[in-house]
Amino acid sequence: MAVPRRDTRGIVDAAELLARVRFRRREPAPALRPYLEHYWLIDWDLAQPYASHVVPHPSVNIVFQRYGDEAPFAEVSGIGLDLFTQKLEGTGRVCGIQFRPGGFRPFAPARAVSEWTGRRVRFPEIPEVFPAADPAAVLSPDDEDARIAALDTFLLGLDPRPDPQSDLAMTLVDRIRTDRTIRRVTDFARAEGMSVRVMQRLFAAYVGVGPKWVVLRYRIHEALEHAETETAVDWATLAAGLGYADQAHLVRDFTATVGVPPTAYAASTATPRGGSAADD
């Protein structure tokens, strides 16, 4: 990964979120880049409560968090299978680490990544996996570079070891993300010279979800982006381009994941927002 990606895929009504919070992505230290998508930083000072919604990526996150006057904490956030909702109010700060799909296992090699899926586990609950962390060391500095340095120090202290299976998992997921022609797991596994069962086991151990789930999730991310950035989406054409049998299949998956049909979602996000608090 050369630089943190700039898209907002997965964020529901990204324009609304970016108008309310200050959101940035930052690069980790060079030694960590093979394993990480990026760091993500959010700060807010809100007069009214706001609920953010995200369609999760097939990525594990470690998240350092502080809400108002509450004590800061850190947690491992496994891949979320459902729409993720977080209420934000008052002031707060979050410093997150988003691992590449397949890139988390070298930092916690004793457990299959599927054991974290659907779970959010605070650090004191898992001392056998991660050493004690000091959330204040990450969250307290006003200088953003100091926060990034603290995240680097934390991760480098975990001493991740190269793992060829992790590398393979990251490569396979990246192909799914970038190649629209990958639609069926049976065809994909055959093209990669492995059985479906072997691929499924690799994904369970190193990604945390199956390859079919990854294919479907990236389809929904792309459909979300089209709904937010285009004034008139040809949903039938988009469904075909994403590999759906027909528009109805896309509508069902989108509705089940986001909570509303794609046309209703597109209409709800069409209203111009009053500025953005995002940094490029």
Side-chain angles (χ1 to χ4, degrees), residues 236-261:
T237 299
L238 179 61
L242 293 177
Y244 283 95
D246 52 39
Q247 182 177 340
H249 282 82
L250 169 59
V251 171
R252 281 199 295 271
D253 279 356
F254 191 104
T255 305
T257 304
V258 182
V260 295

Side-chain angles (χ1 to χ4, degrees), residues 194-205:
M194 61 179 70
S195 69
V196 170
R197 185 178 296 274
V198 167
M199 180 174 283
Q200 289 171 336
R201 288 175 176 169
L202 175 71
F203 272 59

Side-chain angles (χ1 to χ4, degrees), residues 175-183 222 226 238 241-243:
R175 287 177 185 164
I176 293 173
R177 175 163 50 185
T178 57
D179 186 350
R180 279 190 179 185
T181 67
I182 297 174
R183 301 174 179 179
E222 187 162 347
H226 280 276
L238 179 61
L242 293 177

Side-chain angles (χ1 to χ4, degrees), residues 112-251:
V113 179
S114 58
E115 293 187 28
W116 302 98
T117 299
R119 301 174 63 201
R120 298 175 66 181
V121 185
R122 295 201 182 192
F123 271 37
E125 301 175 28
I126 49 173
E128 75 282 6
V129 179
F130 293 107
D134 180 7
V138 173
L139 295 164
S140 294
D142 290 328
D143 179 68
E144 187 172 301
D145 290 339
R147 280 177 258 160
I148 299 304
L151 290 172
D152 284 341
T153 298
F154 166 71
L155 286 177
L156 291 170
L158 299 177
D159 193 24
R161 303 299 176 88
D163 184 336
Q165 291 294 96
S166 177
D167 293 341
L168 175 59
M170 287 189 283
T171 297
L172 293 177
V173 174
D174 195 56
R175 287 177 185 164
I176 293 173
R177 175 163 50 185
T178 57
D179 186 350
R180 279 190 179 185
T181 67
I182 297 174
R183 301 174 179 179
R184 293 171 50 85
V185 175
T186 51
D187 296 337
F188 182 44
R190 186 182 305 113
E192 296 297 329
M194 61 179 70
S195 69
V196 170
R197 185 178 296 274
V198 167
M199 180 174 283
Q200 289 171 336
R201 288 175 176 169
L202 175 71
F203 272 59
Y206 284 88
V207 180
V209 289
K212 181 178 179 179
W213 191 95
V214 175
V215 171
L216 292 174
R217 180 50 51 94
Y218 281 139
R219 287 175 175 176
I220 295 301
H221 280 174
E222 187 162 347
L224 266 173
E225 188 173 51
H226 280 276
E228 290 203 17
T229 60
E230 297 180 15
T231 55
V233 180
D234 184 333
W235 293 105
T237 299
L238 179 61
L242 293 177
Y244 283 95
D246 52 39
Q247 182 177 340
H249 282 82
L250 169 59
V251 171

